[in-house]
Amino acid sequence: MAETAETKQRPGRGVAVVAAGALTSQGAGAEALWQGALAGRVAIRPVQHLDMRGLSTKLAGEVDVPADPPRGYRRPADHRERALDLALVAAGEALADLPAGLVEPSRFGLVLGTCNAGLLSARAWLERARRGAPPDPRLPLLATPQALAEGVAAAYGLRGPVLAVNTACASGANAIGLGADLVRRGRADAVLAGGTDALSDVVFAGFNALESLSPEPAAPYSGDRQGLSLGEGSGMVLLVATDFAARHGLRPLAEVAGYGLSADGYHVTAPRPDGSGAAEAIRGALRHAGLPPERVGYVNGHGTGTPKNDPAESAAIARALGPSAARTPVSSTKSVVGHLLGAAGAVEAIVTARALDARTAPPTAGYTRPDPDCPLDYVPGHARPIDAGTDAALSNNFAFAGANAALVLTRPGAHTPPEPDWDRVVVTGVSVLGPAGDGAEAAERAVRDGRAPVHHEAGLRLGRADLPEDGIAPYLTRRQRRRMDRLAVLSVVSTAKALADAGLTADERVGVVFGTGTGPMEAMEKFVLPLFDEGPAAADPSVFPNTVYNQAAGQVATHLGLRGPTSTVSAGHATGAATVAYAADLLSAGHADALVCTVTDTLTEQVARAYAATGAASTRVPGAPADGRFTLAEGSVALVLERLSAARARGATVLGEVLGQGMASDASRARLWDPRGRGLELAMRRALDDAGLGPEGVGEVWLSAAGLTAADRAEEAAVARVFDTADPARHAPKTVLGEPMGVGGALCLALALWTGRSGTGGPALVNSSSLGGSHVSLVVAAGDPKEES
């Protein structure tokens, strides 16, 4: 029987990995992955399904078994999104042995990590646009990270929190860490977490332009290594609380004891050479787990095989583990399957869990001779028994834009992580950039007057954020902006303004959680379109790094000196609220003292075209959900969140407090959102419960409504049910300011704090919903909170 209780679970409970699924070049299944890694069997071979002419390699870890998912999804008849196919297959394996009905669907979540998301769908869209073919509205609905997450959730009926994270090559590990947090905090009873990415000509062209590809199978850490080998695949793990597993007879493979995140703040592609940034992620994971370095008996390394990454990681391990590093075995799974980008962390976590279970360290294939800059024990040749007393292992993943993630896994029952030092979370700085101008006051004035600047272009109502040169110059020079897109420029400026508003100085305890709904479409268009005519020779190495979703977060960290935890969330129109929710949980549990939540989206020709094709932004499409009030907008909002104790210690002015959060998903293959608004209703009720409030305790509701009739009516019905005996004020600022895509939830939160700064209106509920039916609600209170008695 499913567990359905909505009461708060005890925070800090253990999290177990009870199942895993994988599809890699080793074959179908997690067992095939483990056996291949254990044997050091290299599955990096000539690529069969892509044209490799013009590239410096012909090899990759290609999946050569059919990726036939057991569940379908909405798509053009002649197109499949391979990244989604891979994820569906891995998810199906991870869920195969779970008794039907054991987990209530509304308590079952999903966190999917990906680097390139539905790149093949985006490529197909751009290719059709280039030749003037009619747009297929189903292609953009498969292109974003959240589209993949919602596709998996809908296929398996998962109606709890549904989120996508996009920290490039650290995405899979980041997703498992976030999934474990959701279980640990009682926000879900079970979470399917992992990563997926597929090979494409675009990715090959990019890494080829960076001169990163090896002509032979990658040989990580070896003195004769020549670069990395790309791979594809998916890995998914099923996470539940350890007490849940015990009650229902689910055998844990391992436990997620802790994870750590950090920003290098150094370079768009290269790691910090001394390994200090990555070492902080490892230290953070160990702190979170409550383990000393000497308890780590095995490290599954990032191990890409590139000249700069391997020495930097070796230095990071040595820094973080200290004297015990010299005797701790380290091996790279990428030596046998290639670099799976956003799926790497998940696949490698599965191998790490199996290594712990078998007390055996798999080898690093291809390792032939030592490199003085890589002085650790890399398990060359053959697998080796791990010390019999080993009960903890580390899995490292480091990424473009300096995003680092480390997971600590332990043997079941061997270790109990300490109770976190919980704290309340407050907002101390706000910045708003949008069509109405600079600042929350400008946005509030536009809403009050009922008018914001609108450009009418090709039948669309567009709201552009025009940032003048004198608004950029104090933060970025022209030279610094030369290799940056508008997504990064707006993000750096808004983050700098929020930090100044908070009076906060950046350091190692201040990080950035970045959010974007549509991602780096400007860079993607600029990089991909020339490839259609000229192939890999047209690939621009200065543009390619900007095509990953977390590149703006990396630019923010680099230019402003933020070295604390970093992550990137992309949950469609729910991104802003999801970013705040994730950051609040990280802070509450002590991962950092302060985090800047920066959420940015920009308009490009193809973004506007996609919204028009789907009917969201144009009344010219028969049956379109838009009703003529919808304006598609862009902008950037940054909010500084701090632990209350840290804010008090530095004498900060507190603008408000994040009291609670709630998430739910409609998860339906039949429609994009529930017309009755039941998913949003559940998210609101969970947020109120998390805040310890009843409906009568809320003074105002900030609606997600933006002029899409069907979605707005669903929200209206949900709000009416939740507040049937209460009558809070209702605000719909996006019907005036426009829908800034992923920025909307953060914008409404900023306005709630600004308009409620007198502290007399009572707590506010902020709603945010993606067009795919993922919902996030926040409860916030403006003003300086009272101390608990």
Side-chain angles (χ1 to χ4, degrees), residues 9-85:
Q9 302 289 333
R10 178 177 62 85
R13 58 189 180 160
V15 179
V17 178
V18 295
L23 184 59
T24 69
S25 60
Q26 293 290 345
E31 181 65 20
L33 167 66
W34 167 241
Q35 292 300 331
L38 185 64
R41 182 171 60 246
V42 177
I44 299 169
R45 48 194 173 242
V47 173
Q48 300 301 309
H49 81 277
L50 291 173
D51 184 353
M52 302 293 283
R53 288 176 295 181
L55 301 173
S56 60
T57 189
K58 310 298 179 188
L59 309 177
E62 182 182 36
V63 173
D64 64 355
V65 297
D68 295 329
R71 310 287 177 94
Y73 52 92
R74 292 178 293 269
R75 61 180 178 84
D78 61 348
H79 175 79
R80 298 199 69 90
E81 178 46 63
R82 187 169 174 84
L84 181 51
D85 287 343

Side-chain angles (χ1 to χ4, degrees), residues 55 203-213 527 536 538-542 544:
L55 301 173
V203 174
F204 269 112
F207 280 96
N208 188 73
L210 295 176
E211 300 181 347
S212 298
L213 299 175
F527 183 78
D540 188 335
S542 69
F544 179 62

Side-chain angles (χ1 to χ4, degrees), residues 4-10 13 107 185-187 189 689:
T4 60
E6 285 293 318
T7 56
K8 275 191 180 180
Q9 302 289 333
R10 178 177 62 85
R13 58 189 180 160
R107 298 284 300 165
R185 292 296 295 258
R187 304 199 187 282
D189 289 331
D689 181 63

Side-chain angles (χ1 to χ4, degrees), residues 423 425 582-595 641-643:
D423 201 353
V425 177
Y582 185 22
D585 273 358
L586 287 171
L587 288 165
S588 176
H591 282 273
D593 289 335
L595 292 169
L641 271 60
E642 294 188 63
R643 289 168 64 85

